[in-house]
Every structure is written in structure tokens, then in C-alpha cells.
């Protein structure tokens, strides 16, 4: 018997590895440093007085110990040049001169960049920032030498050498102390210089790329020989979903291996997405965003061994090994399989579905969560047997939530392939109806894999269909609500928009003396504005009553409108009122579908009246020959811009489909509800009167606020301004249109000829009466209605 000769070279079929790589880790570090730089500048601009005081204290302290200051100046100034040179000499002796060249390129770029930025700042392009970085003295905003040194240290990756790193940052700190005590740099200037130098270093690293340290295929073959395998052939195959390299290895005994190579520089691939999921998702559904190479190797190996012990049909893990310090491999037995994504739907018979659920059941009995039950993680071999692969994302000793997530994910994936009914039926036959009932609350898009969420866009009603099938199996099952998301992206947008709106309002308030506004306002007109604000709530109640065929008590409905004003503090203007009114109608015994239809009918009527009144008042204003107002180019420009926006929204197919689909969902049952209202002339009159009164009362309130400060603009002009601004405010994602309404009203009144200060005062008084003042009675009404189970 002839033994295999492991010393023979094996030709590896693989594409040539690039000499240099742009590492994702360098890009992420660049972005993180830019973010830190922006945050430091913003905080420094806010805390200017504190920083100035700190600088005075340090300067006074250094005058008390002049010897220490001189030592720091000498040591820091000399060593900040000596240490980089010494590191370069050491690298050249170790034949790593290319890294030194990269550092020199970064140093030159850092020096030029800091010089040009400093010249731009000194030129008066950002006076506040220049004052912050220079302290009003004739010094460099960014220290050019220090920037280039830090860029050099970053580009040569000195951080990977602990001794050199400690020495380098020590001398940099001493140099900063010397410059600071000598009033040659400010504290913000020092921090910005350090961060700017790091930005230049990382930008250079990512721009020119780094030497490719990934071990080639022959290093993989060598590592396999150390594991006592005898490779005779090797071929690179497609990478897995995480970007890890895979090789098909032929052995001397005729068997084969599937080898997965984990590269260190790929560990941060997809990190922004994982961080976003970790921040957004709640509880144990989050995965660890960053793992070391060894942790990733141990995790996948442990999951593979646990799945084998559970009796699941998975490729056997035959060996693991590190390949130097930059990579590791996992060697699996080769199984001739094809992923389920490549299997035609007609081949997914009941036997295959049952096998899939049996394999998942084996994992669940041993508390193993697979977490990637997709068409890439489930395979069929030549005999038609199911094989589970891709164990890297799995969890051992998994909690109930992760096990239920697996069921929800597999139900959804199979539902996309064979339909909701067959997917649920096959799962119930193996897992039981109780297991499906516990997984039903997790049938949420956010809980599924990225590929499954993308596929659901083609079948948006699948999750509903799966839930209905589960309910049909276990109609008496109690469904607990599980919230996986900490927040929705829309909430984040609302928070950011609200912050910007608050900044806008504060800037407005800074230009107006609030005490003077209150004391100089005409009390008669202010009282009229307050009265019209209250009447608007009665009008809203009449509008709702008019579009609901069932009887509603007037004053209870008025309280609901006050409660809606309280909800506007935490919801956009177009959302809060709709939600509260719909809930109120449901509590009055009206079915959810009819409640939504009634509120939708009232909103539709409001939209029609809004457009009609805007056209009417615009026509009256345009034909008015009074000298108080003539249509200006600004107003015409605003109307043309609105028209252009409408054309764009309905001219772009994707935007048009999005708008029409949302409008369809909102007004799907509106027409039948309107037909019900038309059968009662009294209801139609009440609803129309209430809808008209809402607009008139708000216009009258704004008009009275203007007159309270001596404004003389026509009522019709105020109506045009209000109707235009209200449409913008309703579309804003901020609570109650905060910021957008104020800006639009102020701009509209200014365009109409009202002085800016007067317009701001009138708008602030109007928002005080219609938005802020009703909050307290709205809270009382909300609490009262909840206590009496009316909401």
C-alpha cells in the first residue's frame, strides 16, 4: 500500500488574491473618527465659556511650575519627531519599508490638509470655529506638525504594537501639554488636531489600501496537512453569505472536504447593519455586533458539534485550525447537496416539508437555535434527504424567544414557497399547534432574516395568511404581544425633526421679547382668538358626528377632541387625531372597519374642503384691488413650488404607487360610509358644517392674533397663508407639526407683507392658543375618558 506523500505540492485553483485591499475596518474607523470630530466641534461650540475658563486655569498652573513646563516642552518637542523616525528605522530593518512609505504619504497629506484647512478658517469663513480653535490669538487653528505625526502613526498602524503605541501617545501628550501651556494651541484645537490627524491617516489607509494578509489557498492546504489530512486537490468555490472564503478539497482516499476560511479583516463586514439591529431590537434577539476571530471560530465549531450530538442531519465538522494570526479554517465533510433555493417549488412535497420540520424539532429539543432557516441554510441531498447547513449564526442553550423565532422564520420562508396553508399544516403535524401558537406573535417583518423580509415585499399579505391559518388550528389560544423593536425608524425621524423644530422655535423666541408680546397684545382680539380656538374643538366634534351614522353624544365627543390635542404632543398632526377618534368609535361599539371608514370619510371631506377653500380664498385674494395685499412673486413662487411637488410625486412611478397605495388603505371603505351619510341630510349638514367651521375658526384665530399686535392684513390673505401652512404642517413628521407650522406661517405672513417681528409674535400667540394651551385640558380629558373606558 502506497502512502500519500503530504510533502507534494497541491495546485490550488483560485483567482489571484489582490496585492492590496481596502479593508472595511479602515473605512469604519474613518467614519467613526469623523463622527467623533463633528461631536467634539459641536460640544466645544456649546461649551465655549467652560473651555475658556479651563484654559485660563491651566495657563496659571503652568506659570507656578515653570520647570515642569520647560521639561515638557523640551521632551515633547524633540521626542515627537524622534519616536516616528525610530519606528521607521525599526520597520526598515524588518523589511517592512512599505508600511513606512504609507505613513509618510499620510504625514504629507495630513500636513497639507491641516494647512489648507487652517488657511480657510483664518480667511474668515467660519468665525466661531476659528475663535474656538485659536482663542483669538495669532496661532495655527490646527497644529500642522502634530497633525502630520498623528496621521503617520495612524497609517503605520502603530496601535498594533503596544510598546510603541504607549511611547508614541506619551510624547504626543507631552507635546500637547507644552504647546498648551505655551499658549500655542487651545484645548479644542488640540483635540481637533488629534482627530483630524487620525482622519487623514485612516483616509490614506483606505485610499491606497493595505497589503493583503489573507493566507492563500496553499496556506489552507498546509494547515489541513497539520490536521493529518492528505489533500490532493483544492478549488475555490463561491463565498458564503458572510463573505468567508470556501474551498472544495479532494483527499487522497477519494473523499472530499468543504473548508470555510474565516479572515480577520472580514470580521467587521456588515458591522453597521449589525450595530443598527442591535440598537433597534430588544431583548435576546440581538446578536453580538463584533467578535474576535477566535470567538467566531469557537462559536461555529461549538454549534456544529452540538447539532451533531442532537442527531440533526448536518455536515460533520472534522477539524479546525488557525492559519497564522490572520485567518482560521473549519473543515467539514463534503455532502453532495443543493440549497433549497435551487429546488423547484413542485419538488417541495409533503415529505420534504415534514423532513425540514423534523430536523428543526431535533434542534429545538436540545435548545439549539439555527437562526438562518432560509433557502441557503436548508439543503437536499441526492436521495432527497434534508440537510441543515450554515451553523455559524446559531445559538446553543437558546431561550424560548430564539426557538420561537426559528419557527416564525421557517413558517414564513416555506409560506413564500408553498403557501401559508401548506406551511402551517406541515409545521403543525410535527411541532404541534401549541408551538405554532407561541410563535404567532413573532410573525413580524423585523424578526425575519434580511432575505425573507425582501421576499415579503412580493407577498405583503403572507404573514396575515399564516396567522389566520394558526388561529384556525387553535382558535382559543391566548396570543401574547411581543415587542421586538426598541423603536421604529419613523420614531427616530420624528425625534430628529422635533429637535430641529425645537431649535427653530428657540431661535424664534430669542428674537422676540415674550413678556412684551404678552403685555402689548390687544386683550380684546386675544380673547376673540381664545374663543375661536375653543370653538374649533366643538367644530371637530360636529364633523366626526356628521360622518358617523350612529348617535354620538356631543360633549363627550368634544372631550375626545381635547384628548386628541394632548396626543399631538407625541404624534404627528395627521396621526394623533385619527388614532384617538378611531379608538373612541370602537369603544362606542362600532366595528374597527366601520370606525376607520368613518374617520377616513371625515378626513376625506376635510381634504376636499381644504382644497376648495384654498382655491376660493386664493381667487378672492387675487382679485382684491385693495392696497393691503397684492399677489406677490413670492406667493406665486410658493404655489408653483407646491404644484411642482405634486407633479413630481405623481409623475415618478414609485412615488405614485406608494402614495396611491397608502391613500387606498386609508380611504378603502370611505365611499360606502359616505353613501350611508348621504341617506341622512341632517348628518350630511352636520358633518359639512363642522368641517367648514374647523377651517374658519382656525383662520379667524390667526387673524385675531394678527390684529392683537396691530396687523392689518385681509382675512382672505390670512386664510390662504393658513391653508398652505397647515398642509405643510400636516405632512411634517414632528408632533403636531411642531416647527414646520411655525416656519410656514411666519414665512407666509412675511411674504404677504407683514413685518417679520409682528408675524413671529402673531404666530407664537396663535400656536400658544391652539397647540400648547389645550394640552393641560387635553390631558385631563384623556385621563377622564380612559378612566370611564371611553378610550
Amino acid at each position: 500500500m502506497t502512502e500519500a506523500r503530504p510533502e507534494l505540492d497541491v495546485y490550488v485553483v483560485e483567482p489571484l488574491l489582490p496585492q492590496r485591499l481596502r479593508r472595511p475596518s479602515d473605512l469604519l474607523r474613518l467614519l467613526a473618527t469623523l463622527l467623533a470630530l463633528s461631536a467634539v466641534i459641536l460640544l466645544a461650540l456649546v461649551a465655549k465659556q467652560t473651555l475658556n475658563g479651563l484654559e485660563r486655569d491651566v495657563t496659571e498652573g503652568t506659570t507656578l511650575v515653570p520647570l515642569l513646563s520647560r521639561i515638557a516642552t523640551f521632551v515633547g518637542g524633540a521626542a515627537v519627531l524622534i519616536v516616528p523616525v525610530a519606528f521607521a528605522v525599526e520597520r526598515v530593518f524588518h523589511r517592512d519599508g512599505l508600511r513606512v512609505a504609507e505613513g509618510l504619504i499620510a504625514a504629507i497629506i495630513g500636513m497639507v490638509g491641516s494647512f489648507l484647512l487652517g488657511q480657510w478658517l483664518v480667511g474668515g469663513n467660519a468665525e466661531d470655529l476659528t475663535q474656538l480653535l485659536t482663542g483669538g490669538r495669532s496661532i495655527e487653528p490646527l497644529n500642522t506638525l502634530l497633525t502630520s505625526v498623528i496621521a503617520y502613526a495612524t497609517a503605520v498602524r502603530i496601535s498594533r504594537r503596544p510598546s510603541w503605541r504607549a511611547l508614541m501617545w506619551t510624547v504626543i501628550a507631552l507635546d500637547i501639554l507644552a504647546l498648551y501651556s505655551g499658549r500655542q494651541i487651545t484645548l479644542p484645537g488640540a483635540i481637533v488636531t488629534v482627530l483630524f490627524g487620525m482622519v487623514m491617516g485612516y483616509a490614506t489607509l483606505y485610499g491606497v489600501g493595505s497589503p493583503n494578509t489573507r493566507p492563500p489557498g496553499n496556506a489552507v492546504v498546509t494547515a489541513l496537512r497539520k490536521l493529518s489530512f492528505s489533500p490532493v486537490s483544492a478549488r475555490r468555490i463561491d463565498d458564503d453569505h458572510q463573505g468567508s472564503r470556501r474551498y472544495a478539497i479532494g483527499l487522497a482516499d477519494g473523499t472530499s472536504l468543504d473548508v470555510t476560511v474565516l479572515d480577520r479583516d472580514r470580521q467587521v463586514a456588515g458591522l453597521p447593519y449589525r450595530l443598527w439591529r442591535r440598537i433597534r431590537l430588544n431583548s435576546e434577539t440581538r446578536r453580538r455586533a463584533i467578535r474576535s476571530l477566535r470567538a467566531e471560530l469557537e462559536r461555529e465549531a461549538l454549534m456544529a458539534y452540538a447539532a451533531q450530538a442532537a442527531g440533526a442531519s448536518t455536515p460533520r465538522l472534522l477539524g479546525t485550525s488557525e492559519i497564522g494570526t490572520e485567518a482560521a479554517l473549519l473543515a467539514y465533510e463534503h455532502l453532495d447537496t443543493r440549497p433549497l433555493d435551487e429546488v423547484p417549488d413542485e419538488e417541495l412535497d409533503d415529505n420534504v416539508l415534514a423532513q425540514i420540520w423534523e430536523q428543526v424539532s431535533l434542534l429545538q429539543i436540545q435548545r439549539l437555535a439555527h437562526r438562518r432557516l432560509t433557502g441557503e441554510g436548508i439543503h437536499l441531498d441526492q436521495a432527497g434527504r434534508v440537510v441543515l447547513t450554515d451553523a455559524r449564526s446559531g445559538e446553543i442553550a437558546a431561550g424560548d424567544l430564539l426557538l420561537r423565532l426559528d419557527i416564525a422564520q421557517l413558517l414564513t420562508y416555506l409560506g413564500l414557497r408553498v403557501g401559508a396553508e401548506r406551511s402551517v399544516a406541515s409545521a403543525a403535524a410535527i411541532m404541534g399547534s401549541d408551538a405554532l401558537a407561541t410563535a404567532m406573535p413573532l410573525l413580524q417583518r423585523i424578526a425575519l432574516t434580511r432575505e425573507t423580509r425582501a421576499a415579503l415585499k412580493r407577498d405583503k399579505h403572507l404573514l396575515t395568511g399564516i396567522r389566520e391559518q394558526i388561529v384556525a388550528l387553535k382558535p382559543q389560544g391566548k396570543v401574547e404581544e411581543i415587542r421586538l423593536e426598541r423603536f421604529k425608524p419613523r420614531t427616530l425621524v420624528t425625534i430628529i425633526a422635533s429637535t430641529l423644530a425645537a431649535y427653530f422655535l428657540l431661535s424664534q423666541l430669542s428674537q422676540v421679547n415674550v413678556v412684551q408680546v404678552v403685555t402689548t397684545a390687544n386683550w380684546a382680539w386675544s380673547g376673540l382668538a381664545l374663543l375661536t380656538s375653543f370653538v374649533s374643538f366643538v367644530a371637530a366634534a360636529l364633523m366626526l358626528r356628521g360622518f358617523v351614522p350612529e348617535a354620538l353624544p356631543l360633549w363627550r365627543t368634544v372631550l375626545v377632541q381635547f384628548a386628541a390635542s394632548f396626543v399631538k404632543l407625541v404624534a404627528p398632526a395627521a396621526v394623533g387625531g385619527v388614532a384617538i377618534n378611531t379608538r373612541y368609535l370602537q369603544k362606542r361599539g362600532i366595528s374597527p372597519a366601520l370606525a376607520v371608514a368613518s374617520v377616513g370619510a371625515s378626513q376625506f371631506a376635510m381634504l376636499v374642503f381644504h382644497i376648495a377653500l384654498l382655491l376660493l380664498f386664493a381667487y378672492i385674494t387675487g382679485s382684491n384691488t385693495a392696497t393691503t395685499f397684492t399677489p406677490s412673486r413670492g406667493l406665486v413662487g410658493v404655489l408653483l413650488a407646491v404644484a411642482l411637488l405634486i407633479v413630481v410625486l405623481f409623475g415618478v412611478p414609485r412615488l405614485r404607487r406608494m402614495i396611491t397605495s397608502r391613500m387606498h388603505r386609508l380611504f378603502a371603505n370611505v365611499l360606502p360610509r359616505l353613501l350611508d351619510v348621504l341617506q341622512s341630510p341632517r348628518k350630511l349638514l352636520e358633518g359639512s358644517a363642522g368641517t367648514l367651521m374647523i377651517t374658519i375658526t382656525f383662520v379667524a384665530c390667526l387673524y385675531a392674533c394678527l390684529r392683537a399686535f396691530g396687523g392689518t392684513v385681509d382675512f382672505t390673505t390670512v386664510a390662504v397663508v393658513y391653508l398652505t401652512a397647515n398642509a405643510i404642517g400636516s405632512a411634517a413628521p414632528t408632533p403636531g407639526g411642531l416647527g414646520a407650522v411655525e416656519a410656514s406661517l411666519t414665512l407666509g405672513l412675511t411674504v404677504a407683507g407683514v413685518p417679520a417681528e409682528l408675524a413671529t409674535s402673531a404666530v407664537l400667540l396663535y400656536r400658544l392658543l391652539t397647540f400648547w394651551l389645550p394640552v393641560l385640558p387635553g390631558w385631563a380629558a384623556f385621563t377622564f375618558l380612559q378612566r370611564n373606558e371611553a378610550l
Side-chain angles (χ1 to χ4, degrees), residues 137-153:
R137 303 190 294 271
S138 299
I139 59 176
E140 291 181 308
L142 277 74
N143 188 279
T144 304
L145 175 61
L146 197 57
T147 302
S148 61
V149 169
I150 293 172
Y152 168 87

Side-chain angles (χ1 to χ4, degrees), residues 284-563:
E284 60 184 293
T285 58
R286 300 170 295 169
R287 304 179 188 179
R288 189 169 180 179
I290 304 176
R291 282 192 181 88
S292 66
L293 179 66
R294 172 158 287 277
E296 194 71 21
L297 175 67
E298 293 173 348
R299 173 193 177 91
E300 184 169 348
L302 185 58
M303 185 63 190
Y305 290 137
Q308 292 174 26
S313 178
T314 60
R316 288 192 305 128
L317 179 61
L318 302 178
T320 62
S321 174
E322 287 190 343
I323 313 174
T325 60
E326 299 296 327
L329 66 80
L330 300 101
Y332 293 92
E333 67 171 336
H334 173 72
L335 299 177
D336 192 7
T337 62
R338 51 181 176 156
L340 214 60
D341 279 345
E342 298 178 7
V343 177
D345 292 347
E346 54 270 17
E347 292 187 29
L348 298 181
D349 55 22
D350 292 342
N351 177 48
V352 172
L353 298 180
Q355 285 191 64
I356 294 173
W357 285 109
E358 286 170 358
Q359 293 299 318
V360 173
S361 176
L362 290 173
L363 295 180
Q364 300 236 331
I365 290 172
Q366 297 298 320
R367 312 293 297 181
L368 302 176
H370 189 281
R371 306 208 67 181
R372 278 201 65 81
L373 292 171
T374 64
E376 286 294 327
I378 305 172
H379 287 227
L380 285 183
D381 65 11
Q382 297 301 315
R385 291 189 297 268
V386 171
V387 178
L388 298 182
T389 64
D390 198 5
R392 192 187 313 176
S393 301
E395 297 277 357
I396 64 169
D400 290 337
L401 183 60
L402 290 182
L403 299 180
R404 292 153 66 187
L405 278 170
D406 265 2
I407 297 176
Q409 164 62 33
L410 187 54
L411 279 171
T412 307
Y413 173 74
L414 293 180
L416 289 166
R417 299 295 304 274
V418 301
E421 184 176 357
R422 287 187 62 197
S423 175
V424 173
S426 62
I430 305 299
M431 309 296 294
S433 58
D434 289 337
L436 301 190
T438 59
M440 187 166 65
L442 295 169
L443 289 167
Q444 308 173 32
R445 288 177 56 89
I446 190 65
L448 308 175
T449 63
R450 188 188 300 188
E451 298 86 353
T452 306
R453 293 200 304 271
L456 278 175
K457 294 179 180 179
R458 301 189 298 269
D459 191 352
K460 298 182 179 180
H461 303 291
L462 176 65
L463 293 180
T464 302
I466 294 175
R467 294 189 194 101
E468 291 174 351
Q469 293 294 325
I470 295 175
V471 171
L473 285 175
K474 197 172 179 62
Q476 304 301 323
K478 183 179 180 181
V479 178
E480 59 173 326
E481 183 179 353
I482 297 178
R483 181 171 180 177
L484 299 177
E485 292 180 284
R486 293 177 183 270
F487 59 86
K488 296 181 181 294
R490 183 181 300 175
T491 306
L492 187 62
V493 173
T494 300
I495 293 173
I496 295 174
S498 300
T499 304
L500 295 175
Y503 177 79
F504 169 77
L505 287 178
L506 289 175
S507 64
Q508 275 195 324
L509 289 173
S510 66
Q511 300 174 6
V512 177
N513 188 330
V514 179
V515 176
Q516 186 178 3
V517 167
V518 175
T519 55
T520 59
N522 185 293
W523 288 100
W525 283 108
S526 300
L528 179 61
L530 178 62
L531 177 63
T532 55
S533 176
F534 172 77
V535 173
S536 68
F537 292 97
V538 179
L542 292 175
M543 180 184 71
L544 182 62
R545 278 164 46 98
F547 290 97
V548 179
E550 294 79 5
L552 297 177
L554 176 60
W555 293 111
R556 176 64 63 90
T557 310
V558 172
L559 286 179
V560 172
Q561 308 314 308
F562 271 101

Side-chain angles (χ1 to χ4, degrees), residues 534-616:
F534 172 77
V535 173
S536 68
F537 292 97
V538 179
L542 292 175
M543 180 184 71
L544 182 62
R545 278 164 46 98
F547 290 97
V548 179
E550 294 79 5
L552 297 177
L554 176 60
W555 293 111
R556 176 64 63 90
T557 310
V558 172
L559 286 179
V560 172
Q561 308 314 308
F562 271 101
S565 69
F566 168 67
V567 175
K568 287 179 182 178
L569 277 178
V570 293
V575 175
V578 171
I580 285 291
N581 285 323
T582 303
R583 180 67 175 170
Y584 169 62
L585 295 182
Q586 292 179 20
K587 283 291 188 177
R588 296 292 301 179
I590 301 173
S591 67
L594 292 179
V596 172
S598 297
V599 176
S602 65
Q603 294 296 310
F604 180 75
M606 188 73 178
L607 177 64
V608 172
F609 271 81
H610 192 101
I611 295 174
L613 288 173
L614 178 60
L615 295 175
L616 174 64

